[in-house]
Amino acid sequence: MSESIRTFDAVVVGAGFAGMYMLYRLREHGYRAVVFERADGVGGTWYWNRYPGARCDVESLEYSYSFSDALQQEWEWSERYSGQPEILKYANHVADRFDLRRDIEFETSVISAHYQNDEANWRIATDRNETVIAKYLIMATGCLSSTNLPAIEGISDFQGETYHTGQWPHEPVDLHGKRVGIIGTGSSAIQAIPYLAREAGELVVFQRTPNFSIPARNREADPDEVERVKGDYQGFREFNRKAPAAIRGTMPGRNESALDVPEDERNEELHKRWEHGGFAFMGAFNDLGLNKEANDIAAAFVREQIREIVDDPDVADTLSPDNVIGCKRLCLDTEYYETYNLPHVKLVDINKDPIQRLTKVGVKTDSTEYEFDVVVFATGFDAMTGTLLRVDIRGKDGLTLQQKWEEGPKTYLGLTTANFPNMFMISGPGSPSVLTNMIVSIEQHVDWITACLEYMREHEHAAINAESTAEEEWVAYVNAIAGMTLYPTCNSWYLGANIPGKPRVFMPHVGFPNYVQRCEEVVNNNYQGFELT
Ligand code: NA7
């Protein structure tokens, strides 16, 4: 006897902040929905990234849901920037408060999703050997959810412990007195290194590219500020949504070119922001992300700070990036550069002394074999497309997403991709996503999708499909705006440059308010650029 197949209006993949809010909205509008989540709990990014020191780089009062006033009023953040445990606690609180768990199936991965032309629905298979049918497929799979393990020879030969920052164990990892090596110096490493150094007997950092980092100046939450924000939380949210990256921080950006300000005043402004901490640094002038000459000024300032903090001038030099500041995502740290003054911490520039391989006992470079008890990979993610492409997604006439995106992701609004009808991506490539406060972007996408589903219900449409021409125009437009900035000038994961063989395409859309406006125009013009059948 064949098993009965469960059917839903919508299947949501992923129970991070995107999947949870999507479920909330779907239920509110009476859709039958299920969420499949590979982890055994909610939280997505914040479920997986449990490495010591993991912390959000957007201030807590902004990095939270705005959809429920009761929620934002009742929740108390303890610090200016929340640490991973607190954000995960918040995600769990949201799941409980809105009774979301009853429609989330944990420890269940979606393996394939095939669109059925005749039925205008998706046939979705999971690793629990189940197939379900849903009219809508909503990928809430996150932008940084497929970890990247470098192709270094001998990883499996190493007999000590290995960890990836993006898949850190749930139990505390005891590093007391151990010899620890860490590969990578991106944002995760920059947060983790000071913590690893506190415990490790010896810490060796293998750096390929130095990164710019600004002190976070984390502190306890300020009760006056909390009271002020909560006094008009909706007003605060609306004001923030109008900022270019939907993030305001606590120091307003200055609307003046760095090149129009005398040198001493320029330095004073940069100093003030360095002391204030956080992304406010890039708001010192309005052209740091646009004009190389202006950017050089801010970059030189940070290099000067590194030289002041780090005792050994050679180490300071190795830690100093020579590229554009803010081109890769700016890192925020707590005593990162200071850590290199500790006698048991060593920096290895692998451009000068390349890693040959991992051995039974540690890491072998051209000059030295370093012995370790633990090797940490802080080597990032196959960002934005990695997780989507790992699922066998097939659209119209069996077209696979892998085939379609062979030369890089192509989307319309970063929400849909032509010939994959009734499939939506939350914070997909071609949307502002990682260049913004993610929760704000997520809420905007979920609300857009919900309104679209309501429109389809009202007009009795079976399928929505992006038109290829609209998609081509969108891809060209996203590239054109990126081309007006300094973003494409370095090898960042925004460009896919961290993954060997990945097509070099700038994936996120620059700017939030202009994006929202485009999305609204599409709706106001009866879903312009979409074919509704
Ligand atoms: P990132 O920012 O992608 O950093 C990964 C780091 O790992 C970076 O320093 C890389 O050097 C390094 N890396 C990657 N592959 C190798 C190999 N093969 N050998 C040596 N070093 C390597 O990931 P994170 O997890 O730190 O941060 C991701 C985002 O999370 C961050 O932007 C925030 O938005 C939050 P490279 O620079 O490629 O030379």
Side-chain angles (χ1 to χ4, degrees):
M1 209 175 82
S2 68
E3 259 179 66
S4 68
I5 292 188
R6 289 190 292 162
T7 61
F8 298 94
D9 296 317
V11 160
V12 179
V13 188
F17 281 109
M20 287 203 292
Y21 180 46
M22 191 72 244
L23 175 61
Y24 173 85
R25 279 278 180 246
L26 287 167
R27 265 203 208 152
E28 184 187 52
H29 290 270
Y31 294 100
R32 277 174 317 110
V34 65
V35 180
F36 292 125
E37 166 57 58
R38 71 184 151 115
D40 67 4
V42 298
T45 291
W46 301 104
Y47 173 94
W48 294 103
N49 285 269
R50 296 170 188 242
Y51 59 84
R55 189 173 291 286
C56 190
D57 54 10
V58 177
E59 296 188 34
S60 315
L61 287 164
E62 295 193 52
Y63 192 80
S64 50
Y65 284 124
S66 70
F67 71 84
S68 157
D69 195 47
L71 171 68
Q72 65 188 4
Q73 290 296 340
E74 78 200 6
W75 185 263
E76 301 285 349
W77 295 106
S78 66
E79 294 174 276
R80 176 181 179 187
Y81 297 95
S82 304
Q84 175 272 336
E86 194 167 27
I87 304 176
L88 188 58
K89 201 166 140 202
Y90 172 74
N92 277 290
H93 170 75
V94 172
D96 294 334
R97 194 188 193 289
F98 299 102
D99 188 22
L100 299 176
R101 286 176 214 279
R102 72 182 148 90
D103 289 318
I104 304 176
E105 298 185 11
F106 293 104
E107 295 179 89
T108 306
S109 292
V110 168
I111 303 293
S112 66
H114 296 175
Y115 184 69
Q116 309 191 102
N117 292 334
D118 296 343
E119 290 84 3
N121 63 22
W122 286 88
R123 200 180 163 87
I124 296 151
T126 73
D127 63 350
R128 289 184 174 263
N129 274 333
E130 199 200 358
T131 299
V132 301
I133 303 279
K135 178 169 176 182
Y136 299 110
L137 170 67
I138 303 174
M139 302 301 288
T141 40
C143 294
L144 297 165
S145 46
S146 285
T147 49
N148 166 43
L149 198 61
I152 299 175
E153 226 180 292
I155 291 181
S156 57
D157 295 345
F158 179 61
Q159 292 188 341
E161 302 155 58
T162 56
Y163 303 104
H164 191 290
T165 46
Q167 285 175 332
W168 200 263
H170 292 199
E171 314 72 41
V173 176
D174 181 14
L175 298 173
H176 277 106
K178 291 188 178 164
R179 298 163 305 171
V180 180
I182 178 166
I183 300 175
T185 48
S187 168
S188 302
I190 283 177
Q191 290 189 334
I193 284 166
Y195 283 79
L196 302 180
R198 280 182 206 171
E199 285 192 21
E202 196 184 301
L203 179 68
V204 181
V205 179
F206 295 93
Q207 173 188 278
R208 186 164 70 181
T209 315
N211 258 304
F212 285 102
S213 188
I214 304 290
R217 311 271 183 225
N218 187 36
R219 51 164 168 74
E220 283 181 16
D222 170 0
D224 293 339
E225 187 193 346
V226 173
E227 196 186 323
R228 206 171 47 247
V229 168
K230 289 195 174 179
D232 178 20
Y233 222 141
Q234 279 318 107
F236 175 78
R237 302 287 194 187
E238 263 156 47
F239 181 64
N240 296 342
R241 278 187 211 113
K242 292 193 181 105
I247 305 171
R248 291 276 179 193
T250 33
M251 188 179 269
R254 192 173 149 144
N255 197 14
E256 209 169 354
S257 163
L259 307 177
D260 292 342
V261 175
E263 195 182 334
D264 52 344
E265 194 185 324
R266 219 156 56 192
N267 275 335
E268 201 181 309
E269 185 68 29
L270 291 168
H271 257 293
K272 195 169 80 186
R273 286 166 189 271
W274 177 270
E275 290 309 319
H276 182 78
F279 289 148
F281 185 81
M282 292 303 282
F285 304 102
N286 64 7
D287 52 356
L288 297 186
L290 302 172
N291 181 315
K292 176 75 168 63
E293 211 184 319
N295 189 284
D296 284 345
I297 292 166
F301 176 88
V302 176
R303 283 193 287 270
E304 184 58 41
Q305 305 310 306
I306 299 172
R307 273 194 295 277
E308 270 184 30
I309 297 169
V310 179
D311 297 338
D312 181 330
D314 290 337
V315 176
D317 194 42
T318 307
L319 286 168
S320 295
D322 57 9
N323 51 5
V324 165
I325 182 167
C327 181
K328 288 185 172 188
R329 188 172 174 117
L330 191 65
C331 302
L332 304 189
D333 71 274
T334 301
E335 297 185 354
Y336 174 63
Y337 295 118
E338 288 83 347
T339 300
Y340 291 94
N341 294 334
L342 299 172
H344 66 295
V345 177
K346 182 180 165 66
L347 180 67
V348 176
D349 178 353
I350 64 170
N351 298 301
K352 292 192 181 140
D353 190 12
I355 295 178
Q356 288 182 355
R357 55 175 295 129
L358 261 70
T359 65
K360 254 163 75 167
V361 294
V363 174
K364 171 134 187 38
T365 64
D366 278 359
S367 78
T368 311
E369 182 164 14
Y370 295 90
E371 293 191 9
F372 295 121
D373 303 302
V374 178
V375 171
V376 176
F377 293 98
T379 43
F381 301 87
D382 184 352
M384 304 199 75
T385 54
T387 310
L388 290 165
L389 291 172
R390 276 176 207 191
V391 181
D392 171 17
I393 302 179
R394 298 182 192 203
K396 269 181 154 181
D397 307 319
L399 174 72
T400 68
L401 194 61
Q402 286 92 339
Q403 285 163 343
K404 170 146 187 207
W405 286 5
E406 215 168 356
E407 289 162 10
K410 294 193 172 77
T411 72
Y412 182 40
L413 305 176
L415 273 158
T416 60
T417 183
N419 291 320
F420 292 76
N422 292 0
M423 176 178 114
F424 298 93
M425 293 164 285
I426 301 179
S427 65
S431 77
S433 59
V434 291
L435 296 181
T436 63
N437 177 348
M438 281 299 292
I439 300 195
V440 176
S441 277
I442 283 168
E443 288 191 327
Q444 187 259 341
H445 265 193
V446 169
D447 291 344
W448 193 95
I449 294 167
T450 310
C452 175
L453 265 50
E454 285 295 275
Y455 180 89
M456 290 181 65
R457 178 144 77 179
E458 197 187 319
H459 293 83
E460 297 182 1
H461 289 305
I464 180 165
N465 188 19
E467 290 166 4
S468 298
T469 45
E471 181 170 275
E472 277 160 29
E473 279 166 24
W474 185 256
V475 172
Y477 164 73
V478 169
N479 271 297
I481 1 178
M484 290 157 67
T485 72
L486 296 172
Y487 278 124
T489 60
C490 67
N491 290 325
S492 67
W493 56 257
Y494 298 142
L495 273 163
N498 63 327
I499 303 293
K502 190 164 171 171
R504 198 181 166 96
V505 174
F506 192 80
M507 294 182 281
H509 173 288
V510 182
F512 185 72
N514 51 338
Y515 173 79
V516 173
Q517 196 189 338
R518 291 292 291 255
C519 289
E520 284 170 0
E521 280 165 13
V522 165
V523 173
N524 294 339
N525 292 322
N526 297 320
Y527 292 87
Q528 187 182 15
F530 287 104
E531 186 191 18
L532 287 146
T533 45

